[in-house]
Amino acid sequence: MADEKTNRQSFTVQADYCAAMDAPITTRVCLSLGRVIDRETATGRAVLDWPGEPVADAIVLRLVGGFHALHRSGADWGVSRVFRGELIDPTGVDVLLEEALITHDAALLPWLDGPPQTNEAGRSAGLMTGLLHLARRFGPKIELLEIGSSAGLNLMINHYSYDLGGVKVGPDPAALLIKPAWRGPPPPDAPVEIVGVRGVDIAPVNLANDAAAERLAAYVWVDALERQTRIDTAIAMVRQHGVSLDQGDAADWVEARLLEPQAPDTTRVLMHSVVWQYLSSAGRDRIRAAMAAAGARATGERRLGWVMMEPNRDLHRHEVRVQGWPCSTPMELVALTHAHGAWVEGLEAPYETRDYVMRGGGAVDQR
């Protein structure tokens, strides 16, 4: 359980992470909130008395989302000055954000109620990179199961087009082209045919609701103009095509889906991005066990795969890891990626095969 000092320090931790991802305005906001938050508001008390792990629970990003919403709606001129980058002096920023905490206390407090829905279509670049590795190994037909789908933007993965280091995947033309800056060797140039996509989230976002769509957009950092354009396009695509998105517990859902009949000549793939830290330790253990059991049942006709894009907070990077069955090869680290898909770095074989293990506080211990 965290204490007030740890909860306050989480603002500096998040600011360091934002700085590493070239988000100077969001970095400035995180640092300022860490300085000015106190017990004079209900929001401040809730943050400083946070009972869980503040970094893993992303309490800073919850609050930053609330402030961004104030800016997007034009509800507070001072907040908008900060979010437009017009004011960079720490003292001046502190004054404006402290005033906003008091003025908009009732509006900001509900933003702490649930984890940020940081759904980002750009992350599908890392996920598709992992899928290409599985397609090269097992063949093109892939059935996707995603946990932590949020609003389902990455459930549109088969509707986006990709240019991954010169490797082209997906429909052409497409309403949204995902083309990250590429580093290192390109991914396998293998055909991919996604035959089904389903997802689950503990609190799925219904993008048919305008308020829900606006809340999702508020979690996109103000520094990221390209991301804001991309999320608007992706939201429109979800509204046009629809997605298969269930509400439920990730472990329950994975266990049930892995027991369902599987079509021959397909690879059933569990995928997720920036969600593992939000699951309970027991839930993560259940998913590992369910995947191990399903992997033991996998055959050449009915394969199983696992693709994850998850943060290594110790190294301020996100990692794309892949495992497939039937195969004795452990999970492999095949690429590094920017948290929001701005760049992807393909790695050279032989790949690192240490296990991915979540430690307290949201960091990763790769043992």
Side-chain angles (χ1 to χ4, degrees):
M1 178 179 294
D3 54 22
E4 179 174 331
K5 180 181 178 181
T6 302
N7 290 336
R8 190 180 293 277
Q9 286 176 337
S10 69
F11 286 85
T12 302
V13 173
Q14 185 61 57
D16 288 344
Y17 203 59
C18 294
M21 292 190 292
D22 300 318
I25 296 175
T26 306
T27 300
R28 193 176 303 128
V29 170
C30 291
L31 290 172
S32 177
L33 289 174
R35 291 189 295 264
V36 304
I37 201 160
D38 58 26
R39 297 184 175 278
E40 297 304 310
T41 63
T43 301
R45 292 189 293 273
V47 168
L48 295 177
D49 292 335
W50 191 260
E53 295 289 347
V55 175
D57 294 344
I59 60 167
V60 179
L61 293 182
R62 300 182 192 206
L63 188 56
V64 169
F67 273 87
H68 193 193
L70 293 177
H71 162 59
R72 287 175 60 90
S73 67
D76 190 292
W77 72 270
V79 168
S80 288
R81 285 194 67 198
V82 174
F83 273 74
R84 287 194 298 263
E86 297 172 358
L87 185 64
I88 62 175
D89 171 64
T91 300
V93 172
D94 287 357
V95 169
L96 294 179
L97 296 191
E98 185 174 21
E99 289 177 353
L101 272 168
I102 296 169
T103 303
H104 303 285
D105 189 20
L108 290 168
L109 183 60
W111 285 81
L112 300 176
D113 290 345
Q117 295 280 17
T118 52
N119 211 192
E120 171 52 62
R123 288 175 179 156
S124 64
L127 296 172
M128 182 57 75
T129 297
L131 293 176
L132 286 169
H133 281 265
L134 288 176
R136 177 178 62 179
R137 186 187 307 179
F138 291 140
K141 291 188 177 181
I142 291 174
E143 172 201 344
L144 286 176
L145 303 173
E146 185 189 37
I147 56 174
S149 296
S150 184
L153 299 191
N154 285 321
L155 296 177
M156 302 295 296
I157 191 168
N158 56 327
H159 289 277
Y160 304 149
S161 114
Y162 301 86
D163 184 336
L164 305 175
V167 173
K168 306 293 182 64
V169 187
D172 183 20
L176 183 58
L177 169 65
I178 307 292
K179 186 179 180 180
W182 193 270
R183 308 170 183 175
D189 191 353
V192 174
E193 180 186 352
I194 297 175
V195 298
V197 189
R198 298 178 63 182
V200 70
D201 197 271
I202 194 67
V205 177
N206 178 11
L207 291 179
N209 181 290
D210 289 340
E214 173 59 27
R215 185 181 181 95
L216 185 71
Y219 285 120
V220 175
W221 297 353
V222 70
D223 313 77
L225 299 179
E226 183 179 353
R227 287 187 63 210
Q228 292 179 37
T229 300
R230 186 164 57 229
I231 199 168
D232 289 341
T233 303
I235 288 172
M237 292 176 71
V238 170
R239 287 177 164 180
Q240 177 185 355
H241 298 285
V243 290
S244 177
L245 177 55
D246 298 328
Q247 189 280 326
D249 173 78
D252 290 344
W253 191 83
V254 169
E255 289 170 345
R257 299 292 78 74
L258 292 179
L259 292 176
E260 291 178 345
Q262 180 177 346
D265 193 30
T266 61
T267 305
R268 175 174 283 169
V269 179
L270 173 66
M271 73 174 188
H272 51 87
S273 57
V274 197
V275 67
W276 202 241
Q277 71 193 58
Y278 298 118
L279 304 181
S280 67
S281 177
R284 294 193 295 263
D285 287 343
R286 285 174 58 194
I287 291 172
R288 288 192 191 97
M291 289 296 287
R297 299 191 301 268
T299 67
E301 276 285 288
R302 292 174 173 83
R303 291 89 56 179
L304 181 69
W306 194 346
V307 173
M308 63 169 66
M309 180 211 149
E310 294 291 346
N312 181 326
R313 290 190 179 273
D314 289 345
L315 299 178
H316 293 288
R317 71 185 193 186
H318 285 63
E319 302 174 340
V320 179
R321 293 179 176 264
V322 176
Q323 189 166 7
W325 296 266
C327 185
S328 59
T329 304
M331 185 169 281
E332 297 177 309
L333 175 63
V334 299
L336 306 177
T337 178
H338 181 275
H340 306 132
W343 56 263
V344 178
E345 179 181 349
L347 300 179
E348 297 274 6
Y351 304 112
E352 174 188 298
T353 57
R354 288 179 290 173
D355 289 340
Y356 181 97
V357 180
M358 182 65 65
R359 289 199 280 114
V364 174
D365 176 18
Q366 291 154 358
R367 296 187 259 188

Coordinates of all heavy atoms in Angstrom, one line a residue, residues 5 21 27 80 141 183 224 286 326:
K5 N 3.7 10.2 0.5 CA 5.0 10.6 -0.1 C 5.1 9.8 -1.5 O 5.5 10.4 -2.5 CB 6.2 10.2 0.8 CG 7.5 10.5 0.2 CD 8.6 10.1 1.1 CE 10.0 10.4 0.5 NZ 11.1 10.0 1.4
M21 N 9.2 10.5 -23.7 CA 8.3 10.4 -25.0 C 8.0 11.7 -25.6 O 7.1 11.9 -26.4 CB 7.0 9.6 -24.6 CG 7.3 8.2 -24.2 SD 5.8 7.2 -24.1 CE 5.0 8.0 -22.7
T27 N 4.5 16.8 -19.5 CA 5.6 16.7 -18.5 C 5.4 17.9 -17.5 O 5.4 17.7 -16.3 CB 7.0 16.7 -19.1 OG1 7.1 15.6 -20.0 CG2 8.1 16.7 -18.1
S80 N -6.2 26.2 -20.2 CA -5.9 26.2 -21.7 C -4.6 26.9 -22.0 O -3.9 26.5 -22.9 CB -7.1 26.9 -22.4 OG -8.2 26.0 -22.4
K141 N -3.5 -17.3 -41.6 CA -4.9 -17.2 -41.0 C -4.8 -17.0 -39.5 O -4.2 -17.9 -38.8 CB -5.7 -18.4 -41.3 CG -6.1 -18.4 -42.8 CD -7.1 -19.5 -43.1 CE -7.6 -19.6 -44.5 NZ -8.6 -20.6 -44.8
R183 N 13.1 1.5 -37.2 CA 14.5 1.4 -36.9 C 14.8 -0.1 -36.9 O 14.0 -0.9 -36.6 CB 14.8 1.9 -35.5 CG 14.3 3.3 -35.2 CD 14.5 3.7 -33.8 NE 14.0 5.1 -33.5 CZ 13.9 5.6 -32.3 NH1 14.2 4.9 -31.2 NH2 13.4 6.8 -32.1
A224 N 0.5 15.6 -28.6 CA 0.5 14.7 -29.7 C -0.5 15.0 -30.8 O -1.6 14.4 -30.8 CB 0.3 13.3 -29.2
R286 N -3.8 -16.4 -13.8 CA -4.8 -17.2 -14.5 C -4.6 -17.2 -16.0 O -4.8 -18.3 -16.7 CB -6.2 -16.8 -14.1 CG -6.6 -17.1 -12.6 CD -7.9 -16.5 -12.3 NE -9.0 -16.9 -13.2 CZ -10.2 -16.2 -13.3 NH1 -10.4 -15.2 -12.5 NH2 -11.1 -16.7 -14.1
P326 N 2.2 -25.0 -31.4 CA 3.1 -25.8 -30.8 C 4.6 -25.4 -31.1 O 4.9 -25.3 -32.3 CB 2.8 -27.2 -31.3 CG 2.2 -27.0 -32.7 CD 1.5 -25.7 -32.6

